Amino acid sequence: MKELEWRPAVRVVLVDEGDYPVNSVAFAAGWVFAKNEHGTVAFPSSQVIKVSLG
């Protein structure tokens, strides 16, 4: 698998759950990967409305 390219970010806005605070994000094959102090999660891109880079 290709190494993910992480970018600084502050939040991910999801269709059903609202804002999800993050420290960084990466994008790959229809998925948005997000890291914060609790770990790493992956969201299907169809569930992501907006990513605030920062």
Side-chain angles (χ1 to χ4, degrees):
M1 180 178 185
K2 182 180 167 187
E3 183 72 25
L4 294 174
E5 182 180 331
W6 292 95
R7 300 176 66 184
V10 293
R11 70 184 175 130
V12 173
V13 180
L14 302 171
V15 171
D16 294 332
E17 300 173 32
D19 289 0
Y20 187 81
V22 299
N23 298 325
S24 59
V25 294
F27 307 93
W31 291 86
V32 177
F33 296 86
K35 284 185 184 179
N36 66 17
E37 62 275 1
H38 301 292
T40 303
V41 295
F43 302 107
S45 59
S46 63
Q47 296 300 306
V48 176
I49 296 172
K50 178 181 176 182
V51 174
S52 297
L53 299 175

